[in-house]
Amino acid sequence: MVAREMRRRGTVLMAMMVVVTAAILTVMVQQAVAGEPTAARVLALSCAACHGPGGASPGSIPSLKGKDPVFIAEALRAFRDGSRPATVMGRIATGYSDAEIEVLSRQFAHPAARQ
Amino acid sequence: MSGGMGNALSRRAVGRLGATAIAAATIGPVRAAPSRTVDVVVVGGGFGGATAARYLKQFAPGLSVVVVEQNKVFHTCPFSNLVLGGLRRMSDIAHGYAGLAARGVEVVHQRVLSLDPERRTVRLADDSVIGFRKAILSPGVDMRWNALSGYDEAAAQAMPHAWKAGPQTALLRQQLQAMADGDTVIIAPPDNPFRCPPGPYERASLIAHWLQQNRPRSKVLILDAKDRFSKQGLFTQAWAALYPGLIEHVPAADDGRIVAVDAVGRWLETAFGDRHSAAVINVIPPQWAGAIARDAGLVNADGWCPVGPTTFASDMAADVHVIGDAAVAGQMPKSGFSANSQGKVAAANIVQALAGRDPIAGSFANTCYSLVGPGYGISVAKVYRSTADGIVGIDGSGGLSPMDANADVRAHEAAFAEGWYASITADMFG
Ligand SMILES: Cc1cc2nc3c(=O)[nH]c(=O)nc-3n(C[C@H](O)[C@H](O)[C@H](O)COP(=O)(O)OP(=O)(O)OC[C@H]3O[C@@H](n4cnc5c(N)ncnc54)[C@H](O)[C@@H]3O)c2cc1C
């Protein structure tokens, strides 16, 4: 009982931390001049080697550009916990926390939807 | 220099007079002042350098960025093993620099002869001197001639390394096409660290594929300086399935390590004195950072460049950053993917520094796809971060393709390997 309670409290706390971190990063993105480096942008830089520059893939790997942040975040969580089968994304998604997934998910949306 | 003679002298006149005559006629230092100073000079337009230049312009369009690259056409090492296996042509792995130029990057096709960290200048082969506020070096590797006794530049014409793509790839391909059925191909990979740890074994696979189709009685013999190699379980399983009896791997423990080479006599000698000969011999020698980094004093005792894990600033010189194969990038392997990932983080932090802002901790990834045969791909992946302890892999991330996977999974990975190639080359040159 106690253990479960603590776990639940831990989850709530983590969820709060996620929201706070995401909010901080969102503010950073909003304040940034177009193009200039931000923590959020740097986090998403490595995805382009497979998904193409800006998430626009010229080849067989799916594009991320313009995709709904909710879809991207859900996909990353599902890759991470193994519920969505993948060749390589399971091994990539396990490198990111919940907060980072929230941030990543916004990086490929149309500029207006990024905030 | 009297009466501005240095500037007035034509290069042809310099050639006639000779360097000694000029030096004798010169009062004061010969070192020319830079003809111009730019924000960032990037030395080398390969996986690290081309990426860094593109992202510098993306982050800060106002910066003046010059890439100095000795070749007009860049042949990627990735997929050069497919050329050896007859699955791609040389033109499929060739890339030009028009895309970078269109993004406002100035590309100068010259060799950089020297870098002066104190004066913050680079000197090019045409004797021009460019000053910089920041320099990024991504010169890749050089072969360490004679580290393997007898393996020098001349020997590489008889026994190609093909570890830089281009003429060496074409030479090895020609030798394969010229060999008779029943002849052996030897591949001799070096000890760690070296460029692209799974590369020699992808090469063995794709050469075996070509032999199977074209020289069915021939074999591949790998004489290895190591006991274990990257993705070994996956490669071994694939070889048993695709090329039974065609590839033999001799580890160092079984006297696989080559210590001497005779290019004229065409033999290799192992640590215990065994001699091997073959129609085609691919020696992949020990490597170190490209000459420009070594000559500028940016390397450690092993010939690689120690750098900071966030900005890639050299430990040896201010305002000089080293990325890619030449750098010691913590736990990251020497790969094109790593160089691309580092190039972006270095670009971001150079933009930060030039704008007087704090550095941003890096997030990196690497995935090395290997094609073992047509429609048969495997990979190893990991996510990395800049930390106080250097660049470290994230626990729980990454790993290998599964063993015993079905043909569908291997086929998907082969297709995604092609997708990766299309994406990363667009990210560099597009
Ligand atoms: C057979 C093979 C297969 C590979 N396969 C893969 C793969 O599938 N995936 C992967 O991620 N990696 C792969 N790699 C590794 C990859 O090629 C390297 O890790 C990558 O090229 C490193 O990038 P870099 O920028 O450090 O050097 P490079 O890409 O080699 O670029 C260096 C550039 O600098 C230029 N240069 C050097 N010195 C000077 C100078 N003084 N003046 C002017 N120009 C200069 C060179 O001409 C060159 O264009 C493979 C390597 C090999 C050999």
Side-chain angles (χ1 to χ4, degrees):
Chain A
M1 270 314 264
V2 178
R4 199 199 289 158
E5 177 58 37
M6 275 175 63
R7 232 180 296 140
R8 188 158 0 114
R9 231 187 267 155
T11 314
V12 171
L13 202 71
M14 242 178 55
M16 277 166 63
M17 274 164 60
V18 168
V19 172
V20 171
T21 325
I24 291 168
L25 283 160
T26 305
V27 169
M28 284 168 63
V29 172
Q30 278 168 341
Q31 285 172 344
V33 179
E36 133 187 326
T38 60
R41 285 192 183 124
V42 167
L43 195 64
L45 288 174
S46 66
C47 315
C50 287
H51 288 282
S57 168
S60 58
I61 296 179
S63 275
L64 301 178
K65 191 176 177 175
K67 283 193 179 156
D68 182 0
V70 174
F71 166 81
I72 293 184
E74 268 170 15
L76 287 172
R77 282 192 295 268
F79 286 135
R80 194 177 57 180
D81 68 22
S83 58
R84 179 170 167 186
T87 56
V88 74
M89 276 311 295
R91 292 179 271 156
I92 300 288
T94 38
Y96 302 92
S97 67
D98 285 339
E100 288 167 338
I101 284 178
E102 288 305 316
V103 172
L104 280 172
S105 71
R106 289 186 178 81
Q107 294 309 304
F108 304 95
H110 292 299
R114 264 179 216 173
Q115 270 93 57
Chain B
M1 223 174 244
S2 58
M5 183 182 135
N7 289 339
L9 267 177
S10 75
R11 292 219 292 133
R12 207 174 329 125
V14 173
R16 261 202 312 271
L17 283 169
T20 6
I22 290 291
T26 299
I27 301 153
V30 217
R31 289 198 292 191
S35 54
R36 58 181 173 140
T37 295
V38 299
D39 291 318
V40 187
V41 163
V42 181
V43 181
F47 276 81
T51 305
R54 179 216 177 97
Y55 278 84
L56 282 167
K57 278 305 227 187
Q58 186 165 313
F59 290 134
L63 289 183
S64 50
V65 179
V66 173
V67 171
V68 192
E69 162 58 51
Q70 58 195 349
N71 297 318
K72 290 214 161 111
V73 175
F74 181 78
H75 288 97
T76 59
C77 283
F79 279 36
S80 67
N81 287 330
L82 280 70
V83 173
L84 296 175
L87 302 171
R88 288 285 189 290
R89 290 158 305 170
M90 282 298 282
S91 57
D92 296 328
I93 61 164
H95 301 268
Y97 291 91
L100 274 184
R103 289 178 184 278
V105 174
E106 185 184 339
V107 184
V108 176
H109 291 293
Q110 289 283 329
R111 184 168 169 82
V112 179
L113 296 183
S114 61
L115 179 145
D116 185 334
E118 267 153 46
R119 298 176 148 229
R120 292 180 175 71
T121 56
V122 288
R123 176 186 289 276
L124 315 193
D126 67 356
D127 251 0
S128 60
V129 176
I130 305 176
F132 59 78
R133 293 170 71 199
K134 295 276 183 186
I136 302 181
L137 266 59
S138 195
V141 296
D142 274 352
M143 303 307 131
R144 214 169 167 153
W145 304 121
N146 284 311
L148 199 57
S149 169
Y151 196 73
D152 55 15
E153 269 183 283
Q157 292 307 309
M159 302 175 175
H161 53 76
W163 221 241
K164 291 187 182 188
Q168 279 277 309
T169 316
L171 180 61
L172 184 53
R173 171 89 180 131
Q174 273 164 27
Q175 294 189 350
L176 289 168
Q177 285 171 313
M179 69 185 262
D181 195 11
D183 284 348
T184 298
V185 179
I186 290 180
I187 301 176
D191 209 343
N192 296 317
F194 67 104
R195 156 178 284 188
C196 195
Y201 314 96
E202 179 189 61
R203 175 169 291 177
S205 313
L206 294 179
I207 289 179
H209 163 75
W210 186 81
L211 295 178
Q212 200 174 46
Q213 313 284 309
N214 300 281
R215 303 288 185 276
R217 295 189 301 120
S218 291
K219 286 189 167 54
V220 179
L221 176 63
I222 307 173
L223 298 174
D224 211 329
K226 302 177 292 303
D227 282 330
R228 301 203 45 79
F229 60 87
S230 173
K231 297 185 249 187
Q232 186 162 2
L234 289 164
F235 274 115
T236 308
Q237 186 170 70
W239 291 343
L242 301 179
Y243 315 116
L246 245 91
I247 301 176
E248 185 188 348
H249 178 258
V250 186
D254 295 339
D255 199 23
R257 192 163 68 86
I258 295 303
V259 294
V261 167
D262 187 321
V264 180
R266 294 198 63 78
W267 49 256
L268 306 174
E269 192 172 295
T270 64
F272 295 115
D274 249 12
R275 284 196 180 178
H276 295 267
S277 193
V280 178
I281 302 178
N282 170 215
V283 174
I284 306 170
Q287 296 144 39
W288 53 10
I292 183 70
R294 304 198 312 277
D295 295 347
L298 304 177
V299 295
N300 62 19
D302 298 325
W304 304 105
C305 304
V307 295
T310 304
T311 65
F312 292 84
S314 166
D315 286 1
M316 318 290 194
D319 295 320
V320 177
H321 301 244
V322 187
I323 56 174
D325 286 355
V328 183
Q331 296 175 357
M332 294 185 81
K334 298 189 187 303
S335 75
F337 198 130
S338 295
N340 166 272
S341 192
Q342 293 159 15
K344 295 173 198 179
V345 172
N349 282 318
I350 283 171
V351 166
Q352 291 294 94
L354 289 175
R357 293 188 298 255
D358 288 339
I360 299 170
S363 173
F364 312 88
N366 175 62
T367 301
C368 287
Y369 281 107
S370 297
L371 198 70
V372 190
Y376 195 119
I378 55 175
S379 62
V380 57
K382 191 120 192 134
V383 177
Y384 302 85
R385 294 294 151 79
S386 322
T387 75
D389 301 323
I391 299 179
V392 298
I394 300 285
D395 276 345
S397 78
L400 298 160
S401 306
M403 287 289 282
D404 308 311
N406 63 34
D408 260 14
V409 172
R410 303 296 190 224
H412 274 117
E413 287 227 270
F416 288 142
E418 290 185 22
W420 166 77
Y421 185 86
S423 286
I424 199 166
T425 51
D427 204 30
M428 295 159 63
F429 297 114

